[in-house]
Amino acid sequence: MENTNICPVDYVVDLISGKWKVLIIWHLKFGKKRFGQLQKILTGISKKVLSQHLKELENSGLIIRTVIPSIPVQVEYSLTERGMELSAILEEINQFGSILLKGPTVPKS
């Protein structure tokens, strides 16, 4: 059932709000990662916050949590099809960020 009273931009921003969720999605774009790998990549994130964000992203249908039966048990995270669609948008943000990092542009008079 479609809800036409919700702004699509507001909905997506709510799904990925905060610094870490966008970065988690960005890094999973390049392949499956285990919890420890993500924690190393995301310098400064606590285990609690990473765990919370992974659960929220899984509940929103953007990532998949796969348990690998081994000793010890391993868990891998990867993007769903929807997550991959979102990562394509993040690629555009990456390109725009690269332009901005080159310095301000001077408007032509």
Side-chain angles (χ1 to χ4, degrees):
M1 173 174 19
E2 186 176 330
N3 187 338
T4 56
N5 294 328
I6 298 174
C7 171
V9 173
D10 189 38
Y11 179 73
V12 173
V13 168
D14 187 50
L15 281 180
I16 61 171
S17 64
K19 173 182 178 179
W20 299 114
K21 286 182 185 176
V22 169
L23 293 174
I24 291 167
I25 294 165
W26 176 254
H27 289 292
L28 289 178
K29 167 186 167 74
F30 302 104
K32 297 176 182 179
K33 303 275 186 296
R34 293 190 310 274
F35 187 92
Q37 291 174 305
L38 286 168
Q39 192 173 24
K40 269 186 187 175
I41 293 168
L42 302 170
T43 307
I45 192 169
S46 70
K47 287 181 181 182
K48 179 182 177 181
V49 170
L50 178 55
S51 179
Q52 177 185 345
H53 285 333
L54 288 169
K55 285 177 188 172
E56 290 172 7
L57 288 169
E58 182 182 11
N59 290 339
S60 67
L62 295 174
I63 68 170
I64 297 170
R65 179 181 185 267
T66 305
V67 177
I68 302 165
S70 61
I71 300 176
V73 172
Q74 293 183 8
V75 178
E76 287 183 335
Y77 296 92
S78 58
L79 294 177
T80 63
E81 190 173 321
R82 284 278 187 225
M84 287 302 292
E85 291 172 14
L86 181 56
S87 75
I89 295 167
L90 296 181
E91 182 60 47
E92 296 292 325
I93 293 171
N94 178 55
Q95 290 176 12
F96 183 66
S98 295
I99 292 168
L100 291 177
L101 288 171
K102 291 178 183 175
T105 57
V106 179
K108 294 180 182 179
S109 322

